[in-house]
Amino acid sequence: MNNAFILKNISYRAWHMWRRNVDVSLVTWKTNIIPPLLEPVLYILAFGIGLGAYVQKINFDGRAYDYLTFLAPGMIAVGIMFHSTFDTMYGAFVRLRYQKTFDAVITTPLSAEDILAGEILSGATKGAFAGAAILLIVTLFGLASYPSSLVILPLAALAGLMFASFGLLFAALAPYIDNLNLPIFLFINPMFLFSGTFFPLDGMPAWVRLAANLLPLTHLVNITRAATFNRLSPALLWDLLYILVLTAAVAYLSIRKMKARLIK
Amino acid sequence: MPPVIKVTDLRKNYGELRAVDGIDFEISRGECFGLLGPNGAGKTTTVKMLTCALPLSGGDITVDGLSVNNDPRGIKYILGVCPQEINLDPDFSVLKNLVVYSRYFDIPYAEAKKRAEELISRFHLHDKLDRPIEDLSGGLKKRLLLARALINKPKVLILDEPTTGLDPQSRRQIWEEVRGMKSNGLTTLLTTHYIEEAELLCDRLVIIDAGKIVEQGTPKQLIQKHLDGKGNLEDVFLKLTGKHLRDE
Ligand SMILES: Nc1ncnc2c1ncn2[C@@H]1O[C@H](COP(=O)(O)OP(=O)(O)OP(=O)(O)O)[C@@H](O)[C@H]1O
Ligand SMILES: [Mg+2]
């Protein structure tokens, strides 16, 4: 039951938990498939056609882009973030506290670590699926370059793991479900607004840029934007490294904290 | 023959509270063993440690020679667990509950489906096959919980208050099942506060109170010892655990 053994206690059985959650999503697949496909259409309507009419070209990295073209990779990144964070944050909280799902599974051969790793995997799957769906819509609107945009598919899976881990961590730390408003207010919403999603960070004061660079979504947006703009470069490896390290750290921490809540 | 379950100086502390305070017992193969005690005695806490859902504060439990401290997975493969709290998966139908649960034991789909269908007919759940869990009555939920506990063909069955809250018909039906499994040689640990249930089903039992064993033996021995062979196990239970209300 020692924390040092978290890695040792994760086995292929995590996929059984993943399968359980995917099965639940498949039962209600219609309600799960529509939001990631419809959301970007709404964004394109509101920002592209509504706001875009008032915004001139946006200068980014020495070139001018339509507002919609600029926004598209931000939408993909935000979609990955929302879908994977919310899946574990609310889903895992409900399964832990209300549905007692984990209490039932813990007496089967799955370890607590298997269960929680499975939760992260299924949250990441939702995020990756959302990322791919938004990419599809954006592509249909002619807002993504290829083949560079294909990088987004594996990246969405990785970023999904990161945000699903954050969601699980928040669920582990919240005593009551209403407490989950706090990470949304303090973490998710600021990222949504200040990660270079809606406007380039170049024009912002230095301290804002510095703060933005601490936010994981900023690094995801950096890569998705370079991908849809066909401007991938080695400098993006730093963003990738940041995401990799943070994913590992938060996944570990979230499993540890949630396990402490599951097994008292 | 070595015991199937061996509990040695088992302890669980919740802060100051000693919920389980040094208990020992052994269960032999094919035996139905009762764990009796008033509310808050420590029955569920003991069961949770046995099913590897709760770490021990002290002592050891072995199941079929495996220790909960070293090989929880190995133990969990051979246990069938029917918990006190109903924790069926509300996101799935009756049939899907059994199929998904069997996946946790690495049972292949075709085999899982076959076992699930057998259990559904054995526990008379076929009318509700495709219903969501919330549509089931309390009695049906308990029956499904017991069916679920058998899906992995366990060597040892753990029943934590399997008949609490059931009407006499449903209770009798579960007793029939437990006796049937016993005659097939399944080792069973049963907790209950229905004394007649213990008298009817258990070969041997321990009475625990405030985390300690206060008496043990066969139902007959206990009646003989405490009441000179007159009266029933309920009188023994009340005599040993007192008449005041417990817990909260
Ligand atoms: N997670 C917990 N934290 C603190 N105390 C607990 C916890 N779980 C149980 N207890 C306490 O431990 C004691 C034993 O509880 P347990 O659930 O094992 O009793 P029980 O014999 O199963 O009772 P019942 O017949 O009501 O099911 C009780 O005093 C209970 O309040
Ligand atoms: Mg109990």
Side-chain angles (χ1 to χ4, degrees):
Chain A
M1 302 285 176
N2 199 308
N3 285 325
F5 296 123
I6 280 179
L7 264 183
K8 206 188 85 186
N9 287 338
I10 297 181
S11 69
Y12 70 90
R13 296 172 190 84
W15 292 106
H16 293 326
M17 195 65 204
W18 172 83
R19 231 347 249 293
R20 182 234 166 250
N21 291 345
V22 170
D23 280 2
V24 176
S25 303
L26 291 178
V27 171
T28 54
W29 66 273
K30 280 179 206 135
T31 45
N32 288 313
I33 207 164
I34 291 168
L37 290 173
L38 204 61
E39 268 165 24
V41 177
L42 296 180
Y43 274 92
I44 287 169
L45 269 176
F47 291 105
I49 301 169
L51 183 65
Y54 299 92
V55 180
Q56 288 132 18
K57 298 253 174 195
I58 289 218
N59 280 312
F60 179 78
D61 207 11
R63 289 191 205 175
Y65 295 92
D66 287 339
Y67 187 58
L68 253 190
T69 309
F70 178 83
L71 182 67
M75 288 177 349
I76 297 172
V78 163
I80 299 168
M81 172 178 80
F82 275 130
H83 285 274
S84 36
T85 311
F86 280 58
D87 186 64
T88 41
M89 189 159 86
Y90 286 104
F93 194 96
V94 166
R95 286 189 277 281
L96 174 78
R97 288 292 292 276
Y98 300 115
Q99 299 193 348
K100 306 286 172 192
T101 314
F102 299 160
D103 287 348
V105 183
I106 197 74
T107 63
T108 74
L110 276 76
S111 64
E113 289 86 346
D114 289 332
I115 294 175
L116 300 172
E119 286 289 323
I120 293 176
L121 287 171
S122 55
T125 303
K126 281 221 170 145
F129 177 78
I134 301 170
L135 177 62
L136 174 72
I137 299 294
V138 158
T139 303
L140 294 178
F141 278 85
L143 302 171
S145 301
Y146 281 88
S148 57
S149 289
L150 290 176
V151 163
I152 291 173
L153 296 175
L155 180 68
L158 172 64
L161 289 176
M162 175 172 70
F163 286 118
S165 302
F166 270 113
L168 190 65
L169 181 63
F170 299 147
L173 298 177
Y176 302 100
I177 198 157
D178 283 345
N179 298 127
L180 294 175
N181 290 333
L182 202 66
I184 294 177
F185 176 71
L186 291 177
F187 185 67
I188 308 284
N189 283 346
M191 273 203 286
F192 175 66
L193 294 170
F194 293 101
S195 293
T197 35
F198 294 102
F199 50 85
L201 293 168
D202 306 349
M204 299 302 280
W207 67 270
V208 175
R209 268 182 289 150
L210 187 74
N213 268 306
L214 295 174
L215 300 173
L217 188 64
T218 305
H219 299 276
L220 179 59
V221 172
N222 285 348
I223 309 180
T224 55
R225 185 158 287 136
T228 61
F229 287 10
N230 191 20
R231 306 204 42 190
L232 292 171
S233 74
L236 295 167
L237 289 174
W238 288 113
D239 296 294
L240 186 63
L241 185 68
Y242 180 98
I243 293 174
L244 278 170
V245 171
L246 198 63
T247 303
V250 180
Y252 175 83
L253 195 65
S254 65
I255 291 180
R256 195 177 138 164
K257 290 283 176 203
M258 198 58 157
K259 185 187 172 190
R261 244 181 111 169
L262 182 55
I263 298 184
K264 286 190 220 90
Chain B
M1 216 163 33
V4 178
I5 294 180
K6 188 167 170 18
V7 173
T8 324
D9 194 28
L10 183 66
R11 291 170 189 278
K12 182 71 194 181
N13 307 327
Y14 291 114
E16 293 285 279
L17 177 77
R18 296 177 172 186
V20 175
D21 194 11
I23 67 176
D24 303 79
F25 60 83
E26 289 182 3
I27 307 179
S28 319
R29 198 166 299 280
E31 197 174 24
C32 182
F33 186 87
L35 201 56
L36 268 70
N39 289 137
K43 302 182 294 296
T44 298
T45 306
T46 303
V47 162
K48 283 189 173 167
M49 289 190 280
L50 178 55
T51 56
C52 311
L54 202 61
L56 282 54
S57 302
D60 194 15
I61 304 174
T62 62
V63 181
D64 216 24
L66 309 171
S67 162
V68 290
N69 290 314
N70 303 327
D71 194 357
R73 257 201 240 283
I75 291 179
K76 293 196 286 183
Y77 268 109
I78 59 170
L79 289 185
V81 182
C82 181
Q84 178 176 3
E85 191 179 31
I86 291 168
N87 57 20
L88 296 163
D89 202 324
D91 289 320
F92 296 124
S93 68
V94 168
L95 179 65
K96 192 88 202 250
N97 253 275
L98 296 175
V99 171
V100 170
Y101 196 77
S102 64
R103 203 148 61 201
Y104 302 136
F105 292 87
D106 304 327
I107 300 167
Y109 179 74
E111 173 67 18
K113 190 99 192 301
K114 199 177 121 232
R115 290 191 195 179
E117 276 159 5
E118 276 166 22
L119 287 165
I120 278 170
S121 74
R122 180 163 149 204
F123 285 87
H124 310 289
L125 293 159
H126 24 280
D127 292 345
K128 306 282 179 178
L129 204 66
D130 296 318
R131 310 300 305 168
I133 297 307
E134 61 180 22
D135 287 6
L136 305 186
S137 68
L140 275 179
K141 283 183 188 156
K142 280 278 191 187
R143 244 144 71 190
L144 180 56
L145 216 49
L146 186 54
R148 191 183 72 175
L150 296 172
I151 197 96
N152 61 320
K153 304 212 157 119
K155 276 190 182 171
V156 180
L157 191 61
I158 312 289
L159 308 172
D160 194 358
E161 299 193 20
T163 62
T164 301
L166 298 188
D167 64 20
Q169 289 87 339
S170 308
R171 183 176 305 163
R172 247 150 259 268
Q173 195 192 3
I174 291 203
W175 289 348
E176 279 309 304
E177 283 300 332
V178 174
R179 292 168 88 166
M181 290 182 273
K182 190 173 147 15
S183 61
N184 287 333
L186 194 60
T187 309
T188 306
L189 173 75
L190 173 99
T191 87
T192 183
H193 11 82
Y194 294 118
I195 314 299
E196 52 167 334
E197 182 166 299
E199 220 165 337
L200 197 70
L201 299 177
C202 298
D203 303 310
R204 276 188 318 127
L205 53 93
V206 293
I207 297 175
I208 62 173
D209 193 13
K212 286 193 163 80
I213 291 181
V214 292
E215 188 53 281
Q216 54 190 314
T218 66
K220 258 210 185 97
Q221 281 170 345
L222 297 190
I223 296 165
Q224 193 64 45
K225 175 170 169 195
H226 291 277
L227 304 166
D228 261 341
K230 292 186 285 289
N232 58 28
L233 199 56
E234 180 146 338
D235 301 325
V236 179
F237 184 84
L238 287 172
K239 185 178 166 203
L240 288 170
T241 60
K243 287 198 165 122
H244 59 282
L245 281 175
R246 295 311 163 82
D247 211 24
E248 273 85 60

